[in-house]
Amino acid sequence: MPTVALVVGSLRKDSINKKLARALEKTGADLFSFTTVAIDALPLFNQDLEEKLPEPVLRMKEAVAAADAVLIVTPEYNRSIPGVLKNALDWGSRPMGEGVWAGKPVALAGASGGSVGTAVAQSHLRSVVTFLGMKLSAQPELYFTDRPELIAPDGTVTDEKTKGYLRRYLE
Ligand code: FNR
């Protein structure tokens, strides 16, 4: 079974993007083996730290390197991607020539409470992952407008239409 490294761009305990990531994990459990990549303990990127990479950076890079593909699920912050996600992408690209993103297949997804559901953030993210040399799965796109009746807090998809939508995306 192919392995997928899940990167979530929100650190919040009750994050709707964490919930969407769990829903994707549950919906695609027979298709992929998912591992969640921890980005919450990464220090702010500082090139001075590159000579001896901090432990959380090493762990993140190992987790991504070991996976067959990457799935990024992220909120939109001020019409772009959250700083914590950009920080993780920057760390994973360094030191020069030792990055872990290049050549990895990647898919993007995101949840918001509003109707345009992370479209602008994902558009920015497309530029970044393309620059990093990742193999972007451009279609289908996944812009999820969160409603409590669609996915339960533990990531169980409680709405059949949503289940089908997530399933088609994963396939
Ligand atoms: C937001 N939010 C937001 N939503 C959106 O659709 N477009 C945006 O540009 C922004 N900007 C923004 C900035 C900041 C700093 C915050 C904290 C929030 C709202 C956002 O979609 C909402 O808070 C989500 O619930 C955040 O995702 P998680 O943390 O629940 O996964």
Side-chain angles (χ1 to χ4, degrees):
M1 206 185 264
T3 56
V4 174
L6 257 175
V7 180
V8 181
S10 173
L11 308 185
R12 200 166 76 84
K13 182 164 56 68
D14 295 328
S15 158
I16 58 175
N17 284 276
K18 282 186 179 171
K19 190 175 76 165
L20 176 60
R22 289 295 85 76
L24 286 164
E25 226 179 312
K26 284 177 188 249
T27 308
D30 60 327
L31 299 173
F32 304 107
S33 167
F34 292 92
T35 51
T36 299
V37 177
I39 64 166
D40 51 336
L42 297 175
L44 288 178
F45 180 78
N46 178 343
Q47 216 174 339
D48 292 340
L49 305 178
E50 274 188 17
E51 273 182 31
K52 189 179 181 309
L53 290 182
E55 199 53 42
V57 176
L58 289 171
R59 281 203 301 275
M60 180 195 75
K61 288 184 70 179
E62 279 166 17
V64 173
D68 295 314
V70 177
L71 172 56
I72 303 176
V73 185
T74 185
E76 178 170 296
Y77 278 3
N78 299 313
R79 293 286 181 260
S80 188
I81 61 173
V84 291
L85 175 59
K86 186 60 165 55
N87 190 50
L89 292 167
D90 289 342
W91 269 123
S93 71
R94 302 294 297 180
M96 205 187 234
E98 295 171 33
V100 288
W101 306 116
K104 288 275 174 205
V106 65
L108 314 179
S112 78
S115 55
V116 287
T118 73
V120 183
Q122 287 193 46
S123 170
H124 283 193
L125 188 51
R126 283 175 171 236
S127 311
V128 179
V129 299
T130 304
F131 174 77
L132 289 171
M134 300 186 85
K135 293 180 189 157
L136 175 67
S137 167
Q139 294 291 340
E141 297 168 298
L142 204 173
Y143 306 123
F144 186 70
T145 302
D146 185 60
R147 297 275 175 271
E149 64 274 20
L150 304 181
I151 304 177
D154 71 349
T156 302
V157 185
T158 47
D159 172 70
E160 283 309 311
K161 210 168 146 198
T162 301
K163 203 175 276 178
Y165 176 53
L166 299 188
R167 184 74 197 180
R168 283 192 297 281
Y169 171 79
L170 287 159
E171 282 168 351

